Structure formats: structure tokens, C-alpha cells
Amino acid sequence: MYHAILFLPLIGALFAGLFGRWVGARACEIVTTSLLFVAAFLSWIAFYQVAIEGNDVRIALVGFMHSGSFETYWSIRVDTLTAVMLVVVNTVSSVVHLYSVGYMDHDPHKERFFAYLSMFTFAMLALVTSDDLVQLFFGWEGVGLASYLLIGFWYKKPSANAAAIKAFVVNRVGDFGFLLGIFAIFHIFGAVQYDTIFAAAPDQVGKTMTFLSWQVPVLELICFLLFMGAMGKSAQFLLHTWLPDAMEGPTPVSALIHAATMVTAGVFMVARMSPLFELAPYALAFVAFIGATSAFFAATAAVVQTDIKRVIAYSTCSQLGYMFAAEGVGAFGAGMFHLFTHACFKALLFLCAGAVIHTLADNQDMRRMGGLRKIIPFTWLMMLIGSLALTAFPLTSGFVSKDFIIETTWFDHSLVGQYTYWMVLIAAFLTSLYTWRLMFMTFEGNFRGPKDVRDHAHEPPWTMAVPLLILAAGALFAGLGFRHLFIGADQASFWRESIVLPEGGHHDVPFWLVLSPTIAMTLGFLIAWYCYMWRPLVPFGLLKRFPATNQFFLHAWYFDALYDRIFVRPGKWLGNFLWRVGDGKIIDGLGPNGVAARVLDITKGVVKLQTGYIYHYAFVMLIGVALLITYFIVTGGALKP
């Protein structure tokens, strides 16, 4: 069964990639989607057997790498943490495959799309089922490659190519630190297998190693480097710039990247390595700081975006910040619980946005929408459910997981803990504000787009509607249904040894603390209602009064412009300098081109002597004879030995 869960998506990808041209797009859709639904069904069985019944699985498949004392095997490790990720990845991926059948109906390259989509899923499964860091890195880079191919799927669009390259390059920055962390682990522990590392980790507490001529704590350094990889893969503050541009890919790709695969890899990795992070308090505080900052920063950017997909993209960055904030204060189970619930409502929001874009002839600008509630009421209802979960409306899945994170950060009484609490609480207010802004601009008021587009607007086909219903059920009930397992009374027996659980627990939660997220959510809703329903001219007045602030948030604090000035432009200048001066003038000028030029100059001079006239040659011979006679006279008539 576990072999099938891992390799069914790969089989689908190979089928679509190798035989798609001969069997046709419909066969590729049926095969890849069917295999994903089978894998999703088996994942739920595995979840019950492993997470509920406690039957962890270890399967060694084949030797992977052997070099000296270094050995690694391709294995399948299924504990509770992996079982949770199998359910998330395969469930969301299967409904995204089904949704794509309708969404990509008119695309001429559907075979390639479904091959990439299934390969994306396989890479993520290889990552979450890994039993060592090398296999994890294989899956880690696999999802990076697949995201590059899918973001740039419409490769004839320059913006899509630029976005794909940007995602790939920014992730390489994080992966450089991640690789250094893996190297450091092998240097210290002599192994890359999880169990070996975790067993030896307590012995390294307080020890130091030399890094860049400094003596630094071993575990702190390793965790800092590992988290650098997570910052890139999960688009956290400072390495977040690729995520909004990833919207250039088809909407189903956005749903898969942002809900279940690539961006969740960093959260999973930190949870998997929690036995190390728990022993590195400074690194853990850094995780909390970056997570809280990301939650606040991305929410401020989402508030002013006009592209419906970019609003949800920045929302993803913000919600990932919640997950890291929870892990940073030691609540790894809470972070994974929010990952679990977030996958449902964020995939739902992206697919609903795709349905809106699909029905409006690919328009993504919310300023040219409006009044869609009466035109596509089913899509409005599905997006309303996703929005309620995202804003943490009481009893929805987002309410259960996100409010618990906010409460947990308050109980960390350190300076970083209190900073984290206030940042995630403010982010909760902003989340409600930008979510209801999206809903009001898109579905309420009068339609602001072309009349012919409105006349042709329609509900999505059943292949797009069924996935929305499945995800809506998860957005509503996943929180209450699984709370007792992830963060409730049964969490110890549920997680067992797969992650580190916080010691003790808090029981006396102040009433104001319980209410604070709901108050923040309500306040955000009321402000959005006032600005976009009751007094719709207020936002225009604010734009005129505070244009610089609006531009600051619209351009996401100008990080792209800052990186362009600090890294991109100097990099281009250096590249041009090395090309024109270093390569062209010095290497080629003094090397091959220079030697060739001198040979040509000499041969041109020699050629001038070859005139073809006999008297010229006779003159040269006379000069030679004269020189020879002169030599004999000077030397006394004999050649010196």
C-alpha cells in the first residue's frame, strides 16, 4: 500500500509525459486523476493505521548513495507526521487534478500539464516519506524543479518565464543554507538518518564548532542553516519575493503550491527536525520572529492588492508565518494542525478564484468585477466558506487552529514570544480586512467589467464544482473533527515520537485572550464593510490622502526594488564587466584571439615578401651572401664551435 501511495503519481506523470502525444489529452486526464484519487484513498487508510492505531512503518527500498563511510538508502518512513502530510498532499492534489480537467479544457498542452502536476505530487511525497536528509533533499529539489516548470508552463509569456526563474533563483539562496546544514549534520553526527541524528543530538548541547573563523554552538548553527532553507521554500520574510509572482502559472498550480506541496515543505521540515530545534533555543526564537514578521508583513501587502490571486498569495505567506510562529514557540503540533486545516480552505479559495477568473474571460483585476454573487451563486457560497475559515470565523477549521496558535504564543513570556503574539494578532485583524475586501469587491455591488463578459458568465462545470464541495467540507469541519488529535487531549498518543510535544500545557486561559482573535476578526470585517459596502468612496479618499503608504504596501515594502538595486543590477554589471573586459579583452584578447591576431599580422608581413619577381628574390640572396661574407671576415674566416 505504501509503495502505491508513493509511486502512483510517478506512474501517472510518466504515462502523461511519455505517451500523452499518442494517447491524447483525455487519456492523460483520466489516468493521472484516477491514480491520484487511489493514492488519496490509500493515504486515509494509512492515516488510520499509522496515526490512529499507532502502527508506524519503515520500508527500505534500495541503496541510494554509498561513498566511504557515507551511506543512504531510499526508504519509506511513515509515522504520524508523514501520515498527516500524505493525507494533505494526496487529497488536495487529487481534487486539483480533477479541477484541472475543467479549468485546462481549452489548453493545447494538457498532456504536459498533467505530467508536471503528477510529478510535483510525487516529489512532495518523496520528501515527506524520507527517512534521511538526502532523500528529503531529493524531494526538496524535486518540488523546486516542478514548480519552475509549472509556474512557467505558459512559456510564451515573458512574465511567466521571469516568474519561474525568480522562484528558482530565490529558492537556491535558501537551499544553499539548507545544504550547509546537511553538511554540518554529517560532519558532526557522521550520519544523515533521522533516528541516528536525534539520538545523538542531546550530547551536542553546549558544544561548539568553527564556522567562518568563529566558534559557534553546534546545534544553533545547524538549525539556523536548516531554517534558511525553510525560509526560501516556504516564502518567509526576506526570501518571500518569489511567491506572489508564482501566480503567473495556471490557477490549479497556485492552489497546489500554496496549499499542499511546495510552501508546506519548510513547515514539515522544521517539524521533522523538532528534536534538534528544541535543543537550539536561539534558532527557535529566530523561527518565531521570522514567522510572526511574515504573518504581519504579508497581511499588510494583501490589504491593497487588486489582483485576486495575489491577495490570496500574500495570504498564504501570512498563514505560513502563523505556522512558523507556532513552531518557534515549541508548539509543533499546532503548526502542523494549521497546515492541515489551511490546506483545505486555501486550496478552496484558490480554486474559487480560478472559477471566477475562468468565468470572466481570464480577468483577475477585482476592480473590474463586482455583483457576481447573483451571477455565480454557487462559486460565491464556496468562496464565502473559504473566507470564513481563513478569517477564523467561530467553529470553522481556521478558527480552531489559528486561534490556538495565537493563544499559544501569548503563553511564551519571552520578549520574542510577546512580539510574536502581537504580530499574529494584528495579522488576524488584517486577514479579516483583506479577505472581506476581496469578497465585497468581487461579489457585491454592480458589475464593473465589460457587458459581454457578464453576459457569458456561468458556473463552473462539475469537474470544477465537485473539488470545491470536497474542500468546503474540510474548511468547515476539519478543525473540530481533528482538534482532539492534533492539539487536544489525545495529542500525545497521536503524535507519539514523530515530533516534540510541549511539556505540560496551559489550562487557565484568560477570557480576554480567547476573545481577542475573534474581536480582531470582527473589527476587520466591520472596517471592510464600512469602506467597501456602506461608504465605497472612502478607499478612494484614503488613496488620495496617503498615496505613499498605499504604494509602499502595494509594492510589498519595496523588497523587489531593494533586491533589484542591491543584487540584480550589480550582478548584471559584474556579469557584463567580466564578459566584455575579463573574457573579451583579457582572456580572449591576450589568449586565443590575441595569438591568432599576432599570427595573422606576421603572416601578412611575410606575404608581402612573396612578390613573385625574380629580381626581388635575387636581391634577398645577395643580401644573405653579403651577411655571410661579413660574418667570416669578422670571425677570422672560421665558424666558432
Side-chain angles (χ1 to χ4, degrees):
M1 177 177 70
Y2 300 100
H3 299 77
I5 293 173
L6 175 60
F7 291 111
L8 282 177
L10 178 61
I11 294 172
L14 292 175
F15 177 84
L18 297 176
F19 306 112
R21 184 175 299 178
W22 291 278
V23 300
R26 183 60 66 190
C28 293
E29 294 170 351
I30 294 173
V31 170
T32 54
T33 305
S34 300
L35 291 177
L36 257 297
F37 269 97
V38 172
F41 176 73
L42 295 177
S43 296
W44 282 100
I45 296 177
F47 179 82
Y48 177 78
Q49 292 181 349
V50 175
I52 306 301
E53 295 189 338
N55 300 318
D56 292 1
V57 175
R58 300 286 192 282
I59 303 173
L61 297 179
V62 65
F64 195 23
M65 293 183 184
H66 299 275
S67 178
S69 61
F70 176 76
E71 293 186 2
T72 179
Y73 294 85
W74 187 282
S75 304
I76 297 177
R77 174 193 181 107
V78 185
D79 53 12
T80 300
L81 181 61
T82 299
V84 169
M85 292 301 298
L86 291 178
V87 166
V88 169
V89 173
N90 281 324
T91 301
V92 174
S93 183
S94 61
V95 297
V96 167
H97 272 72
L98 179 59
Y99 179 93
S100 301
V101 173
Y103 190 88
M104 303 294 290
D105 185 51
H106 301 294
D107 195 281
H109 305 293
K110 288 183 286 187
E111 303 91 340
R112 178 164 58 89
F113 178 80
F114 279 91
Y116 289 168
L117 209 61
S118 291
M119 184 179 72
F120 200 174
T121 306
F122 165 72
M124 189 65 187
L125 293 176
L127 189 156
V128 301
T129 58
S130 62
D131 196 28
D132 60 52
L133 289 167
V134 173
Q135 184 182 335
L136 183 144
F137 189 73
F138 170 84
W140 191 273
E141 293 303 300
V143 294
L145 171 62
S147 68
Y148 169 80
L149 296 172
L150 286 167
I151 294 169
F153 178 76
W154 289 318
Y155 56 86
K156 293 184 179 180
K157 290 174 57 179
S159 58
N161 290 325
I165 294 172
K166 185 177 182 180
F168 197 78
V169 170
V170 173
N171 272 273
R172 297 292 72 73
V173 175
D175 291 350
F176 176 72
F178 189 50
L179 269 177
L180 290 179
I182 295 176
F183 296 157
I185 285 176
F186 182 72
H187 174 70
I188 296 298
F189 298 100
V192 292
Q193 287 72 30
Y194 297 142
D195 291 340
T196 304
I197 297 169
F198 299 157
D203 297 334
Q204 298 298 323
V205 175
K207 294 185 178 180
T208 62
M209 65 179 294
T210 303
F211 181 73
L212 300 177
S213 74
W214 294 326
Q215 287 296 120
V216 295
V218 170
L219 295 180
E220 298 285 1
L221 174 64
I222 289 174
C223 291
F224 269 114
L225 292 173
L226 293 178
F227 183 64
M228 184 176 174
M231 288 174 62
K233 196 65 68 181
S234 296
Q236 290 299 280
F237 185 68
L238 300 180
L239 294 180
H240 64 277
T241 53
W242 67 269
L243 193 65
D245 292 348
M247 298 300 98
E248 290 292 338
T251 299
V253 174
S254 303
L256 196 57
I257 290 177
H258 289 245
T261 53
M262 184 168 173
V263 297
T264 63
V267 180
F268 166 81
M269 185 273 292
V270 173
R272 173 61 77 199
M273 304 304 292
S274 57
L276 288 185
F277 278 90
E278 187 68 17
L279 301 174
Y282 293 106
L284 211 56
F286 183 70
V287 172
F289 174 80
I290 291 295
T293 305
S294 300
F296 171 75
F297 151 76
T300 61
V303 166
V304 297
Q305 300 299 315
T306 57
D307 186 314
I308 188 171
K309 286 176 65 176
R310 290 180 76 89
V311 173
I312 307 175
Y314 278 112
S315 171
T316 299
C317 182
S318 180
Q319 297 304 305
L320 288 166
Y322 275 92
M323 301 173 203
F324 283 115
E327 293 182 331
V329 296
F332 298 98
M336 289 302 301
F337 188 35
H338 195 52
L339 184 154
F340 183 79
T341 59
H342 174 264
C344 297
F345 61 75
K346 187 51 60 70
L348 176 62
L349 287 171
F350 264 114
L351 297 187
C352 285
V356 171
I357 295 167
H358 189 73
T359 197
L360 296 182
D362 297 329
N363 171 47
Q364 298 180 195
D365 192 340
M366 295 187 298
R367 294 170 296 184
R368 305 189 66 186
M369 298 180 186
L372 296 180
R373 176 168 58 87
K374 298 178 181 179
I375 302 174
I376 46 175
F378 172 77
T379 303
W380 166 78
L381 178 61
M382 295 297 100
M383 197 143 194
L384 176 64
I385 293 173
S387 298
L388 290 172
L390 175 59
T391 58
F393 188 81
L395 303 183
T396 61
S397 60
F399 169 79
V400 178
S401 60
K402 189 162 72 173
D403 282 25
F404 183 81
I405 290 176
I406 296 175
E407 294 172 11
T408 302
T409 57
W410 185 83
F411 280 94
D412 187 323
H413 298 296
S414 66
L415 183 62
V416 172
Q418 294 306 297
Y419 170 83
T420 302
Y421 168 73
W422 286 107
M423 287 296 100
V424 295
L425 183 63
I426 296 171
F429 158 72
L430 294 173
T431 300
S432 179
L433 176 59
Y434 68 68
T435 302
W436 292 112
R437 171 180 176 267
L438 181 151
M439 289 295 296
F440 296 149
M441 290 184 67
T442 304
F443 293 100
E444 304 300 332
N446 298 318
F447 185 73
R448 299 178 293 275
K451 186 177 182 300
D452 60 327
V453 172
R454 176 184 177 181
D455 294 339
H456 290 88
H458 56 83
E459 292 284 16
W462 73 268
T463 54
M464 297 171 64
V466 171
L468 300 183
L469 288 170
I470 296 173
L471 293 170
L476 287 174
F477 306 117
L480 292 176
F482 293 92
R483 184 186 190 282
H484 67 289
L485 296 176
F486 282 82
I487 57 176
D490 299 329
Q491 63 174 320
S493 59
F494 176 74
W495 291 112
R496 297 185 301 282
E497 302 298 324
S498 61
I499 63 173
V500 173
L501 295 175
E503 297 181 1
H506 55 270
H507 305 285
D508 299 327
V509 182
F511 185 65
W512 67 266
L513 181 60
V514 176
L515 282 183
S516 61
T518 303
I519 294 173
M521 179 268 295
T522 305
L523 185 60
F525 168 79
L526 293 175
I527 293 177
W529 176 272
Y530 177 80
C531 292
Y532 296 96
M533 294 295 291
W534 191 12
R535 295 285 189 269
L537 294 180
V538 169
F540 295 99
L542 292 174
L543 287 177
K544 291 182 178 180
R545 192 168 184 178
F546 304 104
T549 303
N550 176 71
Q551 290 297 312
F552 180 73
F553 290 144
L554 185 63
H555 291 89
W557 298 15
Y558 288 106
F559 271 102
D560 276 304
L562 183 65
Y563 289 168
D564 181 70
R565 182 63 61 88
I566 296 176
F567 300 113
V568 177
R569 292 185 186 180
K572 287 183 177 179
W573 178 86
L574 180 61
N576 284 325
F577 174 80
L578 293 176
W579 168 45
R580 297 180 183 279
V581 178
D583 190 45
K585 293 184 179 180
I586 298 177
I587 298 177
D588 286 344
L590 299 179
N593 292 345
V595 172
R598 299 296 76 75
V599 171
L600 288 175
D601 292 341
I602 294 172
T603 54
K604 286 179 181 179
V606 173
V607 165
K608 291 180 180 179
L609 298 177
Q610 305 295 324
T611 63
Y613 294 108
I614 295 176
Y615 59 84
H616 285 168
Y617 300 145
F619 178 71
V620 172
M621 292 173 63
L622 288 174
I623 291 176
V625 171
L627 290 174
L628 185 62
I629 293 172
T630 301
Y631 174 80
F632 277 107
I633 292 173
V634 172
T635 58
L639 294 174
K640 293 183 179 180

